[in-house]
Amino acid sequence: DGGITQSPKYLFRKEGQNVTLSCEQNLNHDAMYWYRQDPGQGLRLIYYSQIVNDFQKGDIAEGYSVSREKKESFPLTVTSAQKNPTAFYLCASRLALQETQYFGPGTRLLVL
Amino acid sequence: GDSVTQMEGPVTLSEEAFLTINCTYTATGYPSLFWYVQYPGEGLQLLLKATKADDKGSNKGFEATYRKETTSFHLEKGSVQVSDSAVYFCALSDRSTDKLIFGTGTRLQVFP
Protein backbone atom coordinates (compact mmCIF):
# COMPACT_ATOMS: atom_id res chain seq x y z
CA ASP A 1 0.00 0.00 0.00
CA GLY A 2 1.49 3.34 -1.03
CA GLY A 3 1.14 6.24 1.31
CA ILE A 4 2.42 8.42 4.10
CA THR A 5 2.60 7.07 7.62
CA GLN A 6 3.05 9.05 10.79
CA SER A 7 3.75 7.63 14.20
CA PRO A 8 2.78 7.64 16.91
CA LYS A 9 -0.84 8.74 16.61
CA TYR A 10 -0.64 10.30 20.09
CA LEU A 11 2.50 11.46 21.87
CA PHE A 12 2.95 12.81 25.36
CA ARG A 13 5.82 15.09 26.29
CA LYS A 14 7.08 15.95 29.74
CA GLU A 15 8.59 19.30 30.61
CA GLY A 16 12.15 19.66 29.32
CA GLN A 17 11.91 16.58 27.13
CA ASN A 18 12.70 16.28 23.43
CA VAL A 19 10.36 14.10 21.41
CA THR A 20 10.58 12.88 17.82
CA LEU A 21 7.69 12.43 15.43
CA SER A 22 8.11 9.98 12.60
CA CYS A 23 7.07 10.53 8.97
CA GLU A 24 7.68 7.90 6.31
CA GLN A 25 6.49 7.75 2.70
CA ASN A 26 6.77 5.03 0.07
CA LEU A 27 5.47 7.15 -2.79
CA ASN A 28 8.97 8.02 -4.04
CA HIS A 29 8.13 11.66 -3.44
CA ASP A 30 10.96 14.14 -3.51
CA ALA A 31 9.82 16.91 -1.20
CA MET A 32 8.52 16.53 2.35
CA TYR A 33 6.91 19.02 4.72
CA TRP A 34 5.96 19.41 8.38
CA TYR A 35 2.98 21.52 9.43
CA ARG A 36 1.52 22.44 12.77
CA GLN A 37 -2.25 22.78 13.22
CA ASP A 38 -3.82 24.52 16.19
CA PRO A 39 -7.58 24.51 16.88
CA GLY A 40 -9.46 26.91 14.66
CA GLN A 41 -6.37 27.84 12.71
CA GLY A 42 -4.92 26.93 9.37
CA LEU A 43 -1.73 25.00 8.83
CA ARG A 44 1.58 26.63 9.59
CA LEU A 45 4.77 25.39 7.94
CA ILE A 46 7.55 24.28 10.30
CA TYR A 47 10.23 22.82 8.00
CA TYR A 48 10.44 21.44 4.50
CA SER A 49 12.93 19.47 2.45
CA GLN A 50 13.16 19.35 -1.33
CA ILE A 51 15.97 16.77 -1.54
CA VAL A 52 17.89 14.41 0.70
CA ASN A 53 20.37 16.05 3.09
CA ASP A 54 18.83 19.49 2.60
CA PHE A 55 16.00 21.29 4.40
CA GLN A 56 14.72 24.81 4.96
CA LYS A 57 12.98 26.59 7.79
CA GLY A 58 9.34 27.39 7.42
CA ASP A 59 7.36 30.09 9.18
CA ILE A 60 7.57 28.68 12.72
CA ALA A 61 10.82 26.68 12.92
CA GLU A 62 11.92 27.87 16.37
CA GLY A 63 11.98 25.02 18.87
CA TYR A 64 11.94 22.32 16.18
CA SER A 65 14.59 20.39 14.28
CA VAL A 66 14.53 17.95 11.36
CA SER A 67 16.78 15.65 9.36
CA ARG A 68 16.49 14.16 5.87
CA GLU A 69 19.00 11.34 5.64
CA LYS A 70 16.78 9.16 3.44
CA LYS A 71 14.36 10.11 0.70
CA GLU A 72 11.46 8.30 2.37
CA SER A 73 11.93 9.65 5.90
CA PHE A 74 11.62 13.12 7.44
CA PRO A 75 11.50 12.98 11.26
CA LEU A 76 10.61 16.06 13.30
CA THR A 77 12.04 16.66 16.77
CA VAL A 78 10.15 18.93 19.11
CA THR A 79 12.78 20.28 21.48
CA SER A 80 12.42 21.59 25.02
CA ALA A 81 12.85 25.08 23.56
CA GLN A 82 9.35 24.82 22.07
CA LYS A 83 7.31 26.20 24.96
CA ASN A 84 3.87 25.53 23.56
CA PRO A 85 4.10 22.24 21.67
CA THR A 86 0.55 21.00 22.13
CA ALA A 87 -0.86 20.72 18.60
CA PHE A 88 -1.70 18.38 15.75
CA TYR A 89 1.34 17.76 13.52
CA LEU A 90 0.93 16.89 9.87
CA CYS A 91 3.51 15.59 7.45
CA ALA A 92 3.10 15.96 3.70
CA SER A 93 5.01 15.06 0.56
CA ARG A 94 4.95 15.66 -3.18
CA LEU A 95 6.74 14.85 -6.39
CA ALA A 96 9.31 17.37 -7.56
CA LEU A 97 7.43 18.49 -10.69
CA GLN A 98 3.97 18.54 -9.15
CA GLU A 99 2.40 21.07 -6.81
CA THR A 100 -0.06 18.80 -5.05
CA GLN A 101 0.93 17.81 -1.53
CA TYR A 102 -0.36 14.61 0.03
CA PHE A 103 -0.79 14.35 3.76
CA GLY A 104 -0.26 11.74 6.42
CA PRO A 105 -2.81 10.99 9.17
CA GLY A 106 -1.15 13.25 11.75
CA THR A 107 0.30 13.00 15.25
CA ARG A 108 -1.33 14.71 18.21
CA LEU A 109 1.24 15.96 20.73
CA LEU A 110 0.16 16.65 24.28
CA VAL A 111 2.14 18.01 27.20
CA LEU A 112 1.94 16.29 30.58
CA GLY B 1 2.88 38.09 0.41
CA ASP B 2 0.40 35.60 -0.96
CA SER B 3 -2.61 34.82 1.19
CA VAL B 4 -5.92 32.95 1.27
CA THR B 5 -9.12 34.12 2.97
CA GLN B 6 -11.99 31.77 3.73
CA MET B 7 -15.42 32.45 5.14
CA GLU B 8 -15.83 31.98 8.87
CA GLY B 9 -17.53 28.85 10.06
CA PRO B 10 -19.21 26.83 11.13
CA VAL B 11 -21.52 26.42 8.20
CA THR B 12 -24.58 24.50 9.34
CA LEU B 13 -26.86 22.90 6.76
CA SER B 14 -29.60 20.34 6.52
CA GLU B 15 -29.03 17.26 4.39
CA GLU B 16 -29.62 17.87 0.65
CA ALA B 17 -29.08 21.64 0.99
CA PHE B 18 -26.85 23.60 -1.40
CA LEU B 19 -23.37 24.40 -0.16
CA THR B 20 -21.11 27.35 -0.91
CA ILE B 21 -17.87 28.01 0.96
CA ASN B 22 -16.19 31.21 -0.15
CA CYS B 23 -12.46 31.47 -0.80
CA THR B 24 -10.55 34.45 -2.13
CA TYR B 25 -6.85 34.80 -2.62
CA THR B 26 -4.09 37.35 -3.05
CA ALA B 27 -1.13 36.36 -5.20
CA THR B 28 1.49 38.10 -7.26
CA GLY B 29 1.58 35.39 -9.91
CA TYR B 30 -0.84 32.78 -11.20
CA PRO B 31 -0.93 30.05 -8.57
CA SER B 32 -2.68 26.72 -8.66
CA LEU B 33 -5.63 26.54 -6.28
CA PHE B 34 -6.71 23.65 -4.08
CA TRP B 35 -9.48 22.50 -1.78
CA TYR B 36 -8.55 19.99 0.90
CA VAL B 37 -10.93 18.27 3.32
CA GLN B 38 -10.14 17.14 6.87
CA TYR B 39 -12.37 14.67 8.71
CA PRO B 40 -12.18 14.60 12.52
CA GLY B 41 -8.85 13.36 13.83
CA GLU B 42 -7.41 12.77 10.37
CA GLY B 43 -4.97 14.37 7.96
CA LEU B 44 -5.93 16.46 4.96
CA GLN B 45 -7.19 14.88 1.76
CA LEU B 46 -7.05 16.58 -1.60
CA LEU B 47 -10.61 17.26 -2.72
CA LEU B 48 -10.03 19.11 -5.99
CA LYS B 49 -7.69 21.54 -7.70
CA ALA B 50 -7.41 23.95 -10.63
CA THR B 51 -4.21 25.08 -12.24
CA LYS B 52 -5.22 28.06 -14.39
CA ALA B 53 -7.90 30.68 -14.84
CA ASP B 54 -11.39 29.38 -15.75
CA ASP B 55 -10.43 25.80 -14.88
CA LYS B 56 -13.08 23.92 -12.93
CA GLY B 57 -12.01 21.30 -10.44
CA SER B 58 -14.54 18.66 -9.43
CA ASN B 59 -14.71 15.56 -7.27
CA LYS B 60 -17.40 13.68 -5.32
CA GLY B 61 -20.06 16.22 -6.34
CA PHE B 62 -17.98 19.21 -5.22
CA GLU B 63 -16.93 21.86 -7.72
CA ALA B 64 -14.84 25.03 -7.72
CA THR B 65 -13.95 27.38 -10.58
CA TYR B 66 -10.72 29.40 -10.75
CA ARG B 67 -11.89 33.01 -11.23
CA LYS B 68 -8.96 35.31 -11.94
CA GLU B 69 -11.11 38.41 -12.31
CA THR B 70 -12.51 38.07 -8.80
CA THR B 71 -9.49 36.17 -7.36
CA SER B 72 -11.85 33.53 -6.03
CA PHE B 73 -12.18 29.75 -5.84
CA HIS B 74 -15.50 29.12 -4.12
CA LEU B 75 -16.42 25.53 -3.25
CA GLU B 76 -19.94 24.35 -4.13
CA LYS B 77 -22.01 21.22 -3.84
CA GLY B 78 -25.58 20.85 -4.98
CA SER B 79 -26.79 18.47 -2.26
CA VAL B 80 -24.76 17.86 0.89
CA GLN B 81 -24.83 14.68 2.96
CA VAL B 82 -24.18 14.12 6.64
CA SER B 83 -20.93 12.41 5.62
CA ASP B 84 -19.69 15.72 4.15
CA SER B 85 -19.34 17.13 7.67
CA ALA B 86 -15.67 18.10 7.94
CA VAL B 87 -13.31 21.06 7.82
CA TYR B 88 -12.54 22.41 4.36
CA PHE B 89 -9.30 24.23 3.56
CA CYS B 90 -8.64 26.42 0.56
CA ALA B 91 -4.99 26.71 -0.48
CA LEU B 92 -2.79 28.17 -3.18
CA SER B 93 0.64 27.14 -4.39
CA ASP B 94 3.40 29.70 -4.23
CA ARG B 95 5.40 28.64 -7.26
CA SER B 96 8.40 30.73 -6.30
CA THR B 97 8.85 28.83 -3.03
CA ASP B 98 7.09 25.49 -3.72
CA LYS B 99 4.95 26.06 -0.64
CA LEU B 100 1.22 25.76 -0.11
CA ILE B 101 -0.50 28.65 1.64
CA PHE B 102 -3.65 27.67 3.49
CA GLY B 103 -6.75 29.50 4.62
CA THR B 104 -7.91 29.03 8.20
CA GLY B 105 -10.45 26.37 7.28
CA THR B 106 -14.26 26.31 7.34
CA ARG B 107 -16.13 23.76 9.41
CA LEU B 108 -19.20 22.27 7.73
CA GLN B 109 -21.86 20.57 9.83
CA VAL B 110 -24.65 18.74 8.03
CA PHE B 111 -27.67 17.54 9.99
CA PRO B 112 -30.18 14.89 8.90
Side-chain angles (χ1 to χ4, degrees):
Chain A
D1 247 46
I4 303 170
T5 57
Q6 292 186 241
S7 61
K9 188 172 176 66
Y10 296 96
L11 185 57
F12 298 91
R13 194 191 90 163
K14 296 179 182 177
E15 289 287 337
Q17 186 182 39
N18 293 354
V19 292
T20 297
L21 285 62
S22 169
C23 178
E24 304 275 332
Q25 53 94 5
N26 61 3
L27 302 168
N28 200 32
H29 283 181
D30 306 282
M32 298 186 74
Y33 301 78
W34 275 107
Y35 294 91
R36 171 178 171 142
Q37 185 179 24
D38 293 284
Q41 296 190 32
L43 278 66
R44 294 185 288 170
L45 183 64
I46 305 172
Y47 269 98
Y48 63 107
S49 167
Q50 311 250 31
I51 57 173
V52 174
N53 292 323
D54 189 44
F55 49 83
Q56 289 78 39
K57 293 181 179 180
D59 302 315
I60 56 165
E62 186 173 350
Y64 301 96
S65 66
V66 293
S67 63
R68 186 90 188 274
E69 297 176 3
K70 298 186 295 183
K71 186 176 184 178
E72 59 269 25
S73 179
F74 191 42
L76 173 74
T77 296
V78 183
T79 74
S80 57
Q82 173 49 246
K83 298 306 180 188
N84 184 23
T86 297
F88 191 49
Y89 290 85
L90 289 159
C91 178
S93 68
R94 66 172 178 86
L95 285 168
L97 296 180
Q98 294 186 7
E99 297 172 293
T100 303
Q101 292 183 21
Y102 297 90
F103 285 79
T107 292
R108 189 165 299 279
L109 176 60
L110 301 165
V111 177
L112 294 177
Chain B
D2 294 359
S3 65
V4 175
T5 302
Q6 288 182 238
M7 62 189 292
E8 293 277 335
V11 173
T12 304
L13 295 172
S14 298
E15 205 164 25
E16 299 183 4
F18 184 85
L19 168 71
T20 300
I21 299 178
N22 290 339
C23 171
T24 57
Y25 67 91
T26 302
T28 52
Y30 300 97
S32 294
L33 301 172
F34 303 82
W35 277 102
Y36 282 86
V37 59
Q38 184 179 35
Y39 298 101
E42 297 184 9
L44 275 67
Q45 299 176 25
L46 177 68
L47 183 58
L48 53 85
K49 68 178 183 181
T51 57
K52 61 183 187 297
D54 300 324
D55 266 3
K56 177 186 284 188
S58 61
N59 185 26
K60 299 180 182 179
F62 291 90
E63 293 183 341
T65 301
Y66 191 139
R67 302 283 188 201
K68 193 176 81 169
E69 63 276 13
T70 54
T71 61
S72 65
F73 193 54
H74 304 321
L75 183 67
E76 297 182 336
K77 187 176 185 183
S79 175
V80 294
Q81 305 300 311
V82 173
S83 57
D84 293 326
S85 299
V87 180
Y88 292 82
F89 290 92
C90 185
L92 66 80
S93 65
D94 182 339
R95 288 174 175 156
S96 65
T97 62
D98 288 325
K99 297 178 186 177
L100 285 182
I101 296 170
F102 288 88
T104 54
T106 302
R107 181 175 299 279
L108 170 65
Q109 297 174 323
V110 181
F111 293 96

